[in-house]
């Protein structure tokens, strides 16, 4: 049941994405493949940007962070909104330069802006190196989910190789427009899943309501809801929160894939509307952190103490197989969609 649901969600989304991309493409060109022909409207551009921000880190990582550290997970509320605020002013400038210069990559922008081809090469190389780390995160998460569905007897190496092959295959065939479609499906599934789990989680951990979950976890783990959280020696103080939020907000637009996505917008209005509405996604983190606290309240112990597996383990222990399959399928998309755009950008 778990394997069937997972495969169904992933395969159906990938086929739909490739069909959508094929129908909407006007020409087979690098511009169409890499930046969607520079024609994305507000809705599709919104989903695409969200797809790169709300990855496996947003669901599995933040819930696991809340499970392990408590209040420091509130970083998720601030960083996305700050990045969108900065993007409101910065993204239209990047878009305008890309449209006028016909740029495809971040490296193109720097090479033309400073009239130095060597600088473009350096920027491109630095971007690829940075992307390697980010892709590794998605492959690690995807391989973890594959082991959940295929069984622990599948080695870590084999699952990681399979995850990489799936991701490479999708980005080679699909392109940015297909990735945007898959991002929309992934975001809808993520919201439905998080809401469904949150609506039933109180009963699973012996609480009377969502707010009671927070009360109970505070009673059992004093200090979990305030800084520095459950691990004071980690130094995750209010100062850490403020500096980290600023660091994430500024760093968002240094990443080459986020920079390059700006070129895909069809208009300045689409970009600014995206920046205005994007912070709404931050509201979902309330429920994601709730699930991390619930996993802690339930006494969940992820395999090997891996905090990123806390939510997966909690759902596996507490919910029926169809819910586990829905989580696994959605989590696969959470890794595949951003991973494919990262690989596309590196390409």
């Amino acid at each position: 049941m778990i394997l069937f649901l997972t495969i169904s969600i992933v395969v159906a989304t990938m086929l739909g994405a490739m069909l959508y991309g094929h129908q909407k493409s006007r020409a087979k060109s690098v511009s169409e493949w890499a930046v969607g022909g520079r024609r994305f409207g507000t809705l599709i551009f919104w989903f695409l940007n969200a797809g790169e921000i709300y990855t496996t880190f947003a669901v599995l990582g933040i819930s696991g962070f809340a499970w392990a550290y408590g209040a420091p997970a509130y970083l998720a509320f601030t960083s996305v909104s700050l990045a969108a605020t900065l993007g409101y002013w910065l993204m239209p400038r990047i878009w305008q330069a890309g449209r006028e210069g016909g740029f495809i990559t971040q490296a193109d922008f720097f090479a033309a802006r400073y009239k130095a081809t060597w600088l473009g090469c350096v920027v491109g190389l630095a971007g690829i190196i940075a992307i390697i780390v980010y892709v590794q995160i998605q492959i690690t998460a995807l391989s973890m989910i594959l082991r959940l569905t295929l069984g622990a007897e599948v080695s870590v190496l084999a699952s990681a190789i399979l995850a990489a092959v799936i991701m490479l295959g999708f980005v080679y065939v699909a392109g940015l427009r297909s990735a945007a479609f898959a991002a929309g499906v992934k975001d809808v599934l993520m919201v439905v899943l998080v809401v469904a789990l949150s609506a039933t989680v109180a009963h699973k951990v012996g609480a009377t309501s969502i707010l009671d979950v927070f009360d109970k976890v505070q009673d059992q783990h004093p200090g979990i809801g305030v800084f520095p959280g459950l691990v004071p020696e980690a130094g995750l103080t209010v100062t850490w929160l403020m500096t980290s939020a600023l660091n994430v907000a500024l760093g968002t637009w240094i990443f080459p894939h986020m920079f390059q996505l700006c070129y895909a917008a069809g208009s300045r209005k689409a970009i600014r509307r995206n920046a205005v509405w994007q912070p709404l996604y931050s509201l979902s983190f309330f429920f994601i952190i709730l699930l991390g606290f619930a996993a802690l309240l339930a006494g969940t112990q992820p395999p090997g103490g891996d905090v990123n597996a806390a939510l997966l383990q909690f759902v596996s222990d507490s919910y029926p197989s169809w819910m586990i399959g829905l989580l696994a399928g959605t989590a696969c998309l959470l890794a595949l969609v951003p991973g494919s755009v990262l690989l596309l950008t590196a390409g």
Side-chain angles (χ1 to χ4, degrees):
M1 182 66 170
I2 298 174
L3 182 60
F4 174 76
L5 269 176
T6 303
I7 293 175
S8 298
I9 290 171
V10 173
V11 171
T13 302
M14 296 300 104
L15 290 176
M18 287 186 284
L19 180 62
Y20 173 81
H22 177 74
Q23 289 181 337
K24 293 294 183 179
S25 296
R26 296 181 181 176
K28 290 185 177 180
S29 64
V30 174
S31 176
E32 182 66 46
W33 181 72
V35 293
R38 310 180 198 274
R39 299 192 308 273
F40 285 2
T42 302
L43 186 62
I44 197 71
F45 187 69
W46 189 54
F47 278 129
L48 183 61
N49 273 263
E52 294 312 298
I53 295 172
Y54 297 91
T55 67
T56 48
F57 170 75
V59 178
L60 302 183
I62 293 298
S63 60
F65 204 57
W67 174 85
Y69 295 97
Y74 299 157
L75 171 67
F77 287 114
T78 60
S79 55
V80 173
S81 298
L82 284 173
T85 302
L86 182 62
Y88 182 88
W89 303 106
L90 184 61
M91 287 198 303
R93 294 174 179 270
I94 298 172
W95 170 82
Q96 186 68 40
R99 181 164 290 257
E100 291 175 355
F103 304 150
I104 299 294
T105 68
Q106 183 185 53
D108 291 339
F109 173 88
F110 280 90
R113 176 68 178 80
Y114 296 99
K115 298 180 175 59
T117 303
W118 67 267
L119 180 60
C121 294
V122 171
V123 170
L125 181 61
I128 291 173
I129 293 172
I131 283 174
I132 288 172
V133 180
Y134 211 170
V135 170
Q136 180 197 359
I137 294 172
Q138 308 310 322
I139 290 178
T140 299
L142 186 54
S143 64
M144 184 172 62
I145 298 158
L146 288 174
R147 294 189 75 207
L148 171 70
T149 55
L150 298 177
E153 61 272 10
V154 179
S155 69
V156 175
L157 178 61
S159 62
I161 292 173
L162 179 59
V165 169
I166 293 172
M167 201 175 289
L168 282 167
F170 176 62
V171 71
Y172 179 77
V173 174
L176 190 67
R177 192 173 292 279
S178 296
F181 175 89
V185 175
K186 178 264 295 180
D187 289 347
V188 171
L189 283 175
M190 184 192 78
V191 171
V192 170
L193 176 68
V194 168
V195 170
L197 289 173
S198 299
T200 57
V201 74
H203 172 71
K204 299 293 183 181
V205 297
T208 57
S209 66
I210 286 177
L211 294 179
D212 192 37
V213 173
F214 286 97
D215 290 337
K216 284 184 176 294
V217 79
Q218 179 68 35
D219 291 340
Q220 291 189 17
H221 303 275
I224 190 173
V226 296
F227 290 92
L230 292 176
V231 189
E233 59 272 21
L236 305 179
T237 62
V238 173
T239 302
W240 167 86
L241 173 73
M242 292 188 292
T243 54
S244 296
L246 288 171
N247 181 47
V248 172
L250 293 170
T252 296
W253 305 109
I254 296 174
F255 270 118
H257 65 294
M258 296 303 295
F259 195 102
Q260 185 170 316
L261 286 182
C262 298
Y263 300 152
S267 67
R268 188 184 300 269
K269 183 181 291 186
I271 287 180
R272 287 199 158 147
R273 281 179 176 172
N274 171 78
V276 169
W277 293 105
Q278 197 66 235
L280 278 177
Y281 266 107
S282 297
L283 297 177
S284 66
F285 286 122
F286 171 84
F287 300 102
I288 293 170
I289 291 171
L290 164 72
L291 295 174
F293 284 171
L296 183 62
L297 199 57
T300 301
Q301 292 298 324
D306 184 358
V307 299
N308 297 312
L311 180 59
L312 287 174
Q313 189 63 52
F314 171 63
V315 173
S316 298
D317 294 341
S318 308
Y319 285 85
S321 57
W322 66 267
M323 181 63 84
I324 302 170
L326 180 60
L327 172 62
T330 304
C332 280
L333 295 180
L334 286 169
L336 275 174
V337 174
S340 65
V341 174
L342 289 164
L343 290 173
L344 183 150
T345 305

